């Protein structure tokens, strides 16, 4: 939870993956003896895309203003799966090595944490700027670059951007 610009409170154990190398090792050392599990990855690109696919799926919580329990609704789960599959296709075009089981793993994670509120959802509830472009917009942009259609991600980007518009 953000408490002020540049300040946040972590309520649960965290996990971060960073690129291998001197900077990555320094980052791991920075978080030693904290509740954040930080480790180096030899394939950071794949790790980053896995996380992006997870975050992209969470856009429906922000659109609907409902926590992760929405993944238990069969229709919403299918739509979330399509968001993820678009992300996976773009990730692979970008060189990430993504297992076919990622979609099910992400959906299972959302279903297992029904009260979970992701940062995009929390930002929308609080009236803060949302990281729409960093979560779903990048999938749309890179999809265009590779000639990969991303209609579900385009839809959630448009809906979330429209939610920012004033009435009148």
């Amino acid at each position: 939870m953000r408490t002020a610009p540049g300040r946040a409170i972590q309520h649960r154990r965290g996990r971060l993956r960073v690129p291998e190398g001197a900077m990555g090792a320094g980052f791991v050392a920075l978080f030693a003896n904290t509740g954040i599990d930080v480790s180096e990855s030899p394939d950071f690109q794949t790790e980053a895309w896995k996380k992006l696919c997870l975050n992209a799926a969470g856009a429906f919580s922000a659109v609907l203003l409902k926590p992760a329990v929405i993944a238990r609704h069969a229709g919403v789960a299918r739509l979330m799966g399509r968001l993820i599959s678009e992300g996976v296709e773009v990730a692979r075009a970008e060189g990430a090595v993504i297992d076919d089981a990622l979609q099910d793993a992400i959906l299972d994670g959302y279903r297992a944490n029904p009260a979970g509120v992701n940062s995009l959802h929390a930002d929308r509830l609080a009236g803060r700027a949302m990281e729409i472009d960093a979560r779903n917009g990048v999938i749309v942009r890179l999809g265009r670059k590779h000639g990969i259609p991303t209609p579900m991600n385009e839809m959630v980007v448009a809906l979330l951007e429209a939610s920012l518009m004033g009435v009148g």
Side-chain angles (χ1 to χ4, degrees), residues 136-155:
N136 298 86
V138 67
I139 293 171
V140 173
R141 266 193 328 283
L142 292 175
R144 285 187 188 127
K145 170 185 157 188
H146 293 289
I148 298 168
T150 57
M152 294 303 295
N153 280 278
E154 288 183 45
M155 178 190 67

Side-chain angles (χ1 to χ4, degrees), residues 44-102:
F44 181 71
Q45 182 174 14
T46 294
E47 292 294 333
W49 274 100
K50 286 179 185 178
K51 178 67 173 181
L52 182 59
C53 289
L54 169 74
N55 286 344
F60 278 113
S61 287
V63 168
L64 297 171
L65 295 175
K66 301 281 185 194
V69 70
I70 62 169
R72 292 182 176 175
H73 182 280
V76 173
R78 277 192 302 278
L79 296 174
M80 290 173 81
R82 289 176 59 194
L83 278 177
I84 297 164
S85 66
E86 289 175 8
V88 166
E89 192 172 349
V90 173
R92 288 175 175 159
E94 285 286 302
V97 180
I98 306 290
D99 188 278
D100 289 337
L102 181 65

Side-chain angles (χ1 to χ4, degrees), residues 27-56:
F27 202 77
V28 169
L30 182 67
F31 283 87
N33 303 313
T34 72
I36 309 293
D37 170 31
V38 182
S39 64
E40 294 178 82
S41 171
D43 185 1
F44 181 71
Q45 182 174 14
T46 294
E47 292 294 333
W49 274 100
K50 286 179 185 178
K51 178 67 173 181
L52 182 59
C53 289
L54 169 74
N55 286 344

